C-alpha cells in the first residue's frame, strides 16, 4: 500500500481586488504543482480577493466576485485530480468569515473559517471578520446558486473540521493560529491528523523569518507530522510587504524552502514525504501523550488518495538547513539584518509604481543618515531590477517600461536606470553645513540642488510684518523657542517644495507623469517625513549606520566611505 505523498505550497503575489489576475496566478500555481507530481496544493490567506481589501470586505461585490473566481477554479481542467486549498471571504448566517475552501474535482469538500484573528500591529481583522469560536463544531453552509450549478451540491460542511482521505488526515490552520498559544495543530495531532496546512498573509518584519521557521519546526517537533506553510508575496496595494517564505517541514525538520524575497509572481515548492515517518516518530516520541479526552475532530471523508501503489520507489526529501539572507533573520538581535531589510524595502518600492501611476521617485537628499540610507535602498532596487531583466524576467521588464513610459526601453545598468526613475534634490539653506552639502552632492551622480533660503525668508517676512518680531537661530543670539521654530520652518518648506518638484519636474523636462516622494524618519509634523513612502520606517539610527557601511562594501559607494555619522 502506498505511503509516500507529494505536497505543494506556494508564495503568490496577489493584489487586492485584482480578481482576474489572482485567478491567473492561482491556476498557474496549481499547474506547476501538478507538473511536479503534487496531489495537494495550498495557497496563501484570502488569495482569491487579496488580503489587503480593507473596508472593501464590507461590500457585497467583494464576496460575489470571490465566488465568481471560485466557480472558474472549479470549472477549470487545471484543478482536476488535485486537492486545492484556497482562501477567500465567506458570509455564513450573515456573519463574515476569513475562510479556507478545499475542493476536488468540481466538488467543494469543506469550508474552514479562521478561529483566531490577527488584530495587533498593522492587522485589523476584527474590523472585517468574526472568529469561528465553536471548537469542533460543524454546520451546513448553503452554497450560492452559481456554485451549486457547477458542483451539484446544495450544502457543504462549514466549521472546525478536517479532511480524511483514503490514506491520511489533513487539518488546516490559518496564519495567526500558528502563533496562538493554543494552536489548533496541537489538538488535531492528538486526534491523529498527520498533515497540517497554513495559508498565511504574514507581512515582513526584521528578523521575523526565523520566528516563522521556529514555530513550524516546534509544531512538528512536539507533535510530529507534516506542515505546509504558504504565504503571500508583494505589496497587495497595502502599506506592508509580504515576503513569501513558503516552507514544508516534517517531524522538526525543514525539507523545502521557498525564497523569502523574489520578483517572481508565482513560486511553488513541493516535497515528497513518507507518512510512515510521521507514524514512526509519533509512536516513539509522542506515544504517551496521544491519549486525549477531547471531542474528536469532525472528519470529512473523501474518496481520494494522496499516495499511490507505485510510490514506494519515489525518493523522499531530506532535511535542509534554512538559508537566511546574509546577516539576516537569524542574526543576533544586536546586529542589523542588512540584506533582509534591504531586499524587502527594495521589492516594496518596485511594487509601488505598479499600483500608482507614477514615473519614479523623488527624494529630498540631505546627506544625513536617513536620506542617505533611502538613496542606497533605491539604488539597490535598480540593481535587483537589472538582475531580473538580465535573467529574462519579461514581466519585470514590462513593468519598468511602463514606469519610464518607453516601450522600447531596456536598462543598461543600475546607475543608468537610477538616473531614469530617481530624482534627488538637495534643499540647502544658509544654515546647512558644508559636510552634508558635499556628502549629498557626492552620493547623487546627478543632483538637482534647490536653495530654500528665499522661501524661508519669505515666510519669516510675513511673520515679522504681523508681529514686528524677527526670530533668530541660536547661533545668531536667538532663544531655544526661536531656534526650534526656525528649524521646523525649514523642514516644512522642504516638504512643500518636494511635492512641487515631484509633480512638475518631469513636466519641466517634457516627460509625462509625476514622482512618488520618498520621506525619512524625521519627527517634525508635516515636514519632509510627510511623504508618499517612508522606506526606512522606524529602523534605528544605529542600524542605519551599519547598513550604510554595508552598502559601501557591496555597491562601492565611495561617497559614504570614511564618514562619521552623527
Amino acid at each position: 500500500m502506498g505511503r509516500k505523498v507529494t505536497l505543494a505550497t506556494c508564495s503568490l503575489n496577489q493584489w487586492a481586488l485584482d480578481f482576474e489576475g489572482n485567478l491567473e496566478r492561482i491556476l498557474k500555481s496549481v499547474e506547476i504543482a501538478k507538473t511536479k507530481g503534487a496531489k495537494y496544493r495550498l495557497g496563501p490567506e484570502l488569495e482569491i480577493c487579496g488580503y489587503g481589501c480593507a473596508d472593501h470586505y464590507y461590500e457585497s461585490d467583494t464576496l460575489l466576485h470571490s465566488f465568481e473566481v471560485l466557480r472558474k477554479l472549479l470549472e477549470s481542467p487545471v484543478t482536476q485530480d488535485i486537492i486545492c486549498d484556497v482562501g477567500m471571504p465567506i458570509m455564513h448566517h450573515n456573519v463574515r468569515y476569513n475562510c479556507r475552501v478545499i475542493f476536488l474535482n468540481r466538488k467543494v469538500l469543506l469550508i474552514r473559517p479562521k478561529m483566531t484573528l490577527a488584530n495587533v500591529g498593522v492587522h485589523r481583522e476584527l474590523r472585517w471578520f468574526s472568529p469561528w469560536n465553536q471548537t469542533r463544531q460543524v454546520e451546513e453552509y448553503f452554497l450560492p446558486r452559481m456554485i451549486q450549478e457547477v458542483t451539484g451540491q446544495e450544502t457543504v460542511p462549514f466549521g472546525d473540521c478536517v479532511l480524511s482521505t483514503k490514506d491520511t488526515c489533513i487539518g488546516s490552520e490559518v496564519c495567526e493560529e500558528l502563533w496562538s498559544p493554543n494552536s489548533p495543530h496541537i489538538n488535531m495531532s492528538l486526534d491523529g491528523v498527520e498533515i497540517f496546512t497554513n495559508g498565511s498573509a504574514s507581512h515582513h518584519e526584521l528578523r521575523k523569518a526565523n520566528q516563522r521557521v521556529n514555530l513550524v519546526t516546534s509544531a512538528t517537533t512536539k507533535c510530529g507530522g507534516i506542515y505546509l506553510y504558504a504565504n503571500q508575496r508583494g505589496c497587495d496595494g497595502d502599506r506592508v510587504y509580504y515576503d513569501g517564505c513558503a516552507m514544508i517541514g516534517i517531524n522538526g525538520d525543514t525539507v523545502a524552502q521557498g525564497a523569502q524575497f523574489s520578483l517572481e509572481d508565482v513560486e511553488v515548492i513541493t516535497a515528497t514525504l513518507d507518512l510512515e515517518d510521521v507514524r514512526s516518530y509519533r509512536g516513539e516520541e509522542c506515544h504517551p501523550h496521544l491519549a486525549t479526552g477531547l471531542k474528536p475532530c469532525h472528519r470529512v471523508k473523501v474518496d481520494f488518495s494522496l499516495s499511490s501503489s507505485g510510490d514506494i520507489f519515489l525518493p523522499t526529501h531530506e532535511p535542509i538547513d534554512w538559508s537566511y539572507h546574509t546577516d539576516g533573520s537569524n542574526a543576533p538581535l544586536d546586529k542589523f539584518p542588512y540584506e533582509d531589510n534591504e531586499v524587502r524595502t527594495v521589492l516594496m518600492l518596485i511594487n509601488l509604481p505598479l499600483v500608482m501611476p507614477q514615473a519614479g521617485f523623488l527624494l529630498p537628499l540631505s546627506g544625513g543618515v536617513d536620506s542617505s540610507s533611502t538613496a542606497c535602498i533605491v539604488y539597490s532596487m535598480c540593481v535587483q531590477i537589472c538582475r531580473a531583466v538580465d535573467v529574462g524576467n519579461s514581466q519585470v521588464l514590462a513593468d519598468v517600461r511602463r514606469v519610464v513610459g518607453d516601450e522600447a526601453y531596456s536598462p543598461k545598468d543600475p546607475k543608468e536606470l537610477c538616473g531614469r526613475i530617481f530624482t534627488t534634490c538637495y534643499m540647502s539653506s544658509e544654515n546647512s553645513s558644508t559636510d552634508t552639502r558635499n556628502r549629498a552632492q557626492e552620493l547623487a551622480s546627478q543632483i538637482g540642488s534647490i536653495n530654500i533660503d528665499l522661501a524661508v525668508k519669505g515666510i519669516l517676512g510675513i511673520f515679522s510684518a504681523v508681529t514686528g518680531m524677527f526670530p533668530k537661530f541660536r547661533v545668531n543670539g536667538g532663544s531655544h523657542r526661536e531656534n526650534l521654530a526656525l528649524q521646523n520652518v525649514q523642514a516644512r518648506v522642504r516638504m512643500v517644495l518636494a511635492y512641487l518638484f515631484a509633480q512638475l519636474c518631469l513636466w519641466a523636462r517634457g516627460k509625462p507623469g509625476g514622482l512618488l516622494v520618498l520621506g525619512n524618519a524625521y519627527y517634525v509634523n508635516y515636514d519632509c517625513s510627510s511623504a508618499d513612502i517612508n522606506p526606512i520606517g522606524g529602523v534605528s539610527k544605529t542600524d542605519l549606520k551599519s547598513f550604510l557601511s554595508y552598502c559601501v562594501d557591496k555597491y562601492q559607494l565611495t561617497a559614504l566611505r570614511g564618514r562619521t555619522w552623527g
Side-chain angles (χ1 to χ4, degrees), residues 4-297:
K4 294 181 181 178
V5 294
T6 301
L7 309 168
T9 183
C10 58
S11 297
L12 301 183
N13 191 0
Q14 301 295 79
W15 293 89
L17 303 177
D18 180 18
F19 293 98
E20 288 300 318
N22 293 344
L23 170 64
E24 180 182 339
R25 287 181 284 272
I26 292 171
L27 288 173
K28 182 177 179 180
S29 70
V30 175
E31 185 175 16
I32 295 172
K34 290 178 68 175
T35 300
K36 294 184 176 184
K39 293 293 185 70
Y40 192 103
R41 175 268 182 199
L42 172 71
E45 184 176 10
L46 295 168
E47 59 183 315
I48 283 181
C49 61
Y51 183 80
C53 293
D55 282 358
H56 289 290
Y57 286 121
Y58 292 139
E59 300 168 4
S60 59
D61 277 358
T62 302
L63 303 177
L64 171 65
H65 295 323
S66 295
F67 273 112
E68 289 173 342
V69 172
L70 179 62
R71 174 173 178 144
K72 292 177 181 178
L73 289 171
L74 288 163
E75 293 176 326
S76 173
V78 174
T79 62
Q80 305 308 301
D81 300 319
I82 182 172
I83 297 177
C84 295
D85 185 339
V86 300
M88 62 180 284
I90 290 178
M91 184 171 283
H92 176 56
H93 293 169
N94 293 332
V95 179
R96 194 181 301 103
Y97 294 98
N98 175 348
C99 295
R100 305 302 304 178
V101 178
I102 303 177
F103 62 90
L104 169 69
N105 293 338
R106 299 169 68 93
K107 299 289 185 182
V108 176
L109 302 178
L110 63 88
I111 299 174
R112 201 304 205 153
K114 191 172 182 179
M115 302 174 70
T116 303
L117 299 183
N119 210 57
V120 297
V122 300
H123 296 288
R124 294 291 182 272
E125 290 184 14
L126 283 171
R127 179 177 174 88
W128 308 298
F129 301 107
S130 294
W132 181 259
N133 293 321
Q134 304 177 60
T135 304
R136 303 291 171 93
Q137 296 294 313
V138 176
E139 299 178 355
E140 282 189 321
Y141 176 76
F142 285 82
L143 292 169
R145 188 176 304 164
M146 72 172 79
I147 304 300
Q148 292 184 30
E149 292 170 353
V150 177
T151 67
Q153 301 165 285
E154 186 175 276
T155 64
V156 295
F158 184 101
D160 182 15
C161 50
V162 299
L163 184 66
S164 183
T165 65
K166 295 171 70 175
D167 49 2
T168 189
C169 191
I170 307 163
S172 298
E173 292 188 322
V174 188
C175 196
E176 181 73 10
E177 293 171 359
L178 173 61
W179 303 73
S180 168
N182 188 26
S183 296
H185 69 259
I186 299 172
N187 290 329
M188 286 193 293
S189 68
L190 295 175
D191 195 34
V193 176
E194 296 177 326
I195 300 174
F196 311 110
T197 66
N198 189 317
S200 185
S202 179
H203 68 283
H204 176 265
E205 292 178 355
L206 297 183
R207 306 175 178 97
K208 189 176 181 181
N210 95 320
Q211 294 182 42
R212 298 192 196 112
V213 176
N214 289 342
L215 286 169
V216 171
T217 302
S218 173
T220 58
T221 298
K222 64 187 177 185
C223 298
I226 298 168
Y227 205 106
L228 276 68
Y229 179 87
N231 196 21
Q232 189 161 306
R233 170 183 290 159
C235 284
D236 189 21
D238 204 349
R239 52 183 171 162
V240 294
Y241 181 83
Y242 302 94
D243 58 338
C245 261
M247 69 184 92
I248 301 175
I250 179 172
N251 298 340
D253 292 317
T254 301
V255 294
Q257 172 191 352
Q260 185 177 7
F261 304 102
S262 174
L263 289 173
E264 298 294 335
D265 282 345
V266 177
E267 180 191 36
V268 178
I269 62 171
T270 60
T272 299
L273 301 167
D274 197 331
L275 293 173
E276 290 301 318
D277 288 340
V278 175
R279 294 158 189 168
S280 297
Y281 182 90
R282 286 182 172 175
E284 179 180 354
E285 301 288 338
C286 310
H287 177 71
H289 311 291
L290 287 181
T292 174
L294 291 174
K295 182 179 179 180
C297 298

Side-chain angles (χ1 to χ4, degrees), residues 408-463:
Y409 173 73
S410 291
K412 298 176 183 177
D413 54 60
K415 185 176 180 180
E416 184 270 340
L417 175 61
C418 209
R420 292 288 295 262
I421 65 174
F422 187 38
T423 299
T424 62
C425 55
Y426 179 70
M427 299 184 186
S428 66
S429 73
E430 61 186 13
N431 300 287
S432 301
S433 71
T434 302
D435 183 56
T436 56
R437 185 194 304 268
N438 292 340
R439 186 183 299 160
Q441 289 175 335
E442 291 176 28
L443 182 58
S445 56
Q446 293 183 338
I447 192 165
S449 182
I450 307 168
N451 190 293
I452 63 172
D453 279 337
L454 289 177
V456 172
K457 289 179 178 177
I459 292 172
L460 294 180
I462 296 173
F463 179 83

